[in-house]
Amino acid sequence: MPKINVNIKWNDTDDSPELFKTQIYSQTGVPPERQKIMVKGGILKDTTDLNKLNLKEGHTFMVMGTAGELPKTPPKPVQFLEDLTEAEVMEALNIPPGLENLGNTCYMNATLQCLRAMPELQQSLESYQGGLNGADSRGNLVASLRDLFANLSKASDGFPPLVFWQMLRQSFPQFSQTGQGGIPMQQDAEECWSELVSVLKAKLPHSEDKNFIERYMTGELEAVTECVDAPEEEKTTTVDSFTKLSCHISINTNYMINGILESLTEEIEKNSPTLNRTAKYRRKHQVSRLPQYLPIQFIRFFWKPQERVRAKILRKVKFPLDFDATELCTPELQSKFSKAKLKMKEIEDKKVQKAREEKRRKLDGENDGNQSNNMDTLSEEKVDWKEYLDPKLLEDVGCNPTGQYELCAVLTHVGRSADSGHYIAWVKKNTDEWHKFDDDKVSVLRDADIERLDGGGDWHTAYIVLYRAKKLE
């Protein structure tokens, strides 16, 4: 930096060094934090007592430092969120549109927003060629869903799903029930979910003999049945398909995995060929194929005959944001997951190590660029997953080849009965960022808000959770 002669008028040595630096800034343009002012014994510090420097009139200071660039006028005037319209706020924050409530249709709106969390479903709907004027009511329902999702991708505000609602009621008359004054009655979101999945399974276009539901949402359960009263009797094994798993809730259920395991074991009675009488049997299910998208229903409603109402179980049941489903699987499938699972854990451990190292450097005030680059390289290692994934699982398009899931959507219910209350969808957008779809009201939330949906009171409670296979980076 070239030498610059600057005269500064300064009379009061009782002022602090910070004020002195500010006056230098006004003359030189060098910000106080960049200034190094040479005095007797070294550099002027903010704690230096200026009276002890024995300064005389006309004293010369040497100031070292570079002037920063002056702030530029913003190219556009600053806009504040409170000055924007609701539509402008949604566009600025990249918030997707909600669905208008047409009269107790929150069960339908929440179901649709959760289904929309699967981009492969939207792609499959786009290839559906059916129209809305055919005699096939269920084909019309699929066409209306295709058109609804297309309209939502263009809308910037709440959208009224009138056509889809009409087609839903034509296909399933139970959703046409009305109460006093002709107001539509509240319906069960799980029933809406199941009916829609069954229609999509039957009507979506096929590719190599399978469609989206069959590839991406259908798993297989291997059931082994043994006779409790006659253990020597030969066991029987069958294989069934499923499009969602159930989480039973008992007095001992605190975690989702326990409720699922409980639902996979059942006691039945049937005729025993060896005993020649009715006997007790135990049927245990294990998953032999995991789909890419795994819905799990919490069995929260039960029939109370005296009140003639489907009452709700309010018990708190925790569900994870990251779900390892290998415990539900057959030993054969678990062994196919083992190599990929270990590699995913190794990668995750490196990410945790990097985060801890960055946090430590920030606390210590370090700025070691080389170390940071090394950590980046460590965590961003390119993996050839063909080395770790089972070849048969690689060929099975739409399956989960690792058994590892992340939560991508939650459908909740608030209220004491399935036929009343309110349904809401919560859909994941990015890491620690979720969208809450309360009909046409959409807001942004965090992981911590989702973890509060586990029940235990009158707050919104998870009814269906949708997991998707973790992406292999």
Side-chain angles (χ1 to χ4, degrees), residues 216-456:
Y216 291 90
M217 288 187 71
T218 301
E220 291 181 352
L221 283 173
E222 182 180 285
V224 177
T225 305
E226 59 181 342
C227 183
V228 177
D229 294 341
E232 68 280 2
E233 187 174 302
E234 185 178 358
K235 299 178 182 179
T236 61
T237 301
T238 58
V239 177
D240 301 309
S241 62
F242 68 90
T243 54
K244 71 173 183 294
L245 294 178
S246 298
C247 174
H248 286 180
I249 301 176
S250 67
I251 194 172
N252 298 316
T253 307
N254 297 315
Y255 298 93
M256 182 186 74
I257 183 67
N258 303 119
I260 298 175
L261 290 170
E262 183 181 338
S263 70
L264 294 178
T265 302
E266 58 180 334
E267 303 285 344
I268 60 174
E269 289 188 354
K270 66 175 186 173
N271 184 65
S272 168
T274 57
L275 300 177
N276 199 28
R277 63 173 176 82
T278 300
K280 291 182 179 180
Y281 285 79
R282 180 180 297 110
R283 180 176 294 156
K284 185 176 181 180
H285 298 82
Q286 289 182 306
V287 177
S288 54
R289 182 191 191 263
L290 279 172
Q292 181 167 326
Y293 290 98
L294 178 63
I296 298 170
Q297 176 197 356
F298 291 82
I299 310 300
R300 287 201 170 272
F301 298 106
F302 65 98
W303 181 252
K304 296 183 77 172
Q306 292 183 346
E307 292 85 350
R308 298 187 61 80
V309 67
R310 290 179 64 203
K312 184 176 179 181
I313 300 172
L314 299 176
R315 183 178 181 82
K316 181 188 288 288
V317 180
K318 291 189 173 296
F319 56 91
L321 298 177
D322 296 305
F323 177 44
D324 180 356
T326 55
E327 189 176 351
L328 308 176
C329 301
T330 62
E332 293 79 9
L333 187 54
Q334 289 188 30
S335 65
K336 292 179 180 179
F337 291 154
S338 57
K339 286 182 67 176
K341 184 178 176 180
L342 286 173
K343 187 61 179 177
M344 291 179 76
K345 185 178 186 304
E346 177 187 334
I347 294 173
E348 188 61 32
D349 288 345
K350 288 180 179 179
K351 288 182 178 179
V352 172
Q353 178 187 355
K354 176 186 175 184
R356 288 176 178 171
E357 190 68 21
E358 288 179 346
K359 183 177 180 181
R360 184 191 66 80
R361 287 201 304 273
K362 287 180 180 179
L363 290 174
D364 294 346
E366 296 180 7
N367 187 21
D368 189 343
N370 292 331
Q371 187 175 6
S372 178
N373 290 334
N374 291 337
M375 294 299 294
D376 289 341
T377 303
L378 188 66
S379 64
E380 294 174 5
E381 170 192 2
K382 296 296 181 182
V383 179
D384 183 2
W385 284 103
K386 291 181 180 178
E387 298 180 13
Y388 301 95
L389 296 176
D390 183 89
K392 290 186 177 180
L393 296 181
L394 267 176
E395 296 174 0
D396 186 358
V397 178
C399 81
N400 183 339
T402 65
Q404 308 303 303
Y405 287 96
E406 64 175 350
L407 188 66
C408 65
V410 183
L411 192 157
T412 62
H413 177 268
V414 60
R416 295 293 180 119
S417 167
D419 302 322
S420 63
H422 186 54
Y423 291 96
I424 287 178
W426 317 64
V427 180
K428 186 172 185 177
K429 181 187 178 185
N430 288 315
T431 302
D432 197 24
E433 183 177 359
W434 292 72
H435 287 142
K436 175 186 176 183
F437 293 93
D438 185 354
D439 290 325
D440 58 342
K441 302 179 186 68
V442 186
S443 52
V444 180
L445 300 174
R446 302 298 179 194
D447 286 348
D449 300 301
I450 305 304
E451 292 174 327
R452 294 180 56 216
L453 305 176
D454 53 1

Side-chain angles (χ1 to χ4, degrees), residues 104-119:
N104 282 328
T105 58
C106 58
Y107 71 93
M108 179 186 76
N109 292 345
T111 298
L112 292 173
Q113 294 289 8
C114 288
L115 290 175
R116 196 164 175 254
M118 298 180 280

Side-chain angles (χ1 to χ4, degrees), residues 85-122:
T85 65
E86 186 174 343
E88 289 173 333
V89 170
M90 292 182 67
E91 183 178 358
L93 299 179
N94 195 22
I95 296 177
L99 292 166
E100 293 181 11
N101 194 315
L102 306 177
N104 282 328
T105 58
C106 58
Y107 71 93
M108 179 186 76
N109 292 345
T111 298
L112 292 173
Q113 294 289 8
C114 288
L115 290 175
R116 196 164 175 254
M118 298 180 280
E120 296 87 351
L121 172 57
Q122 296 187 55

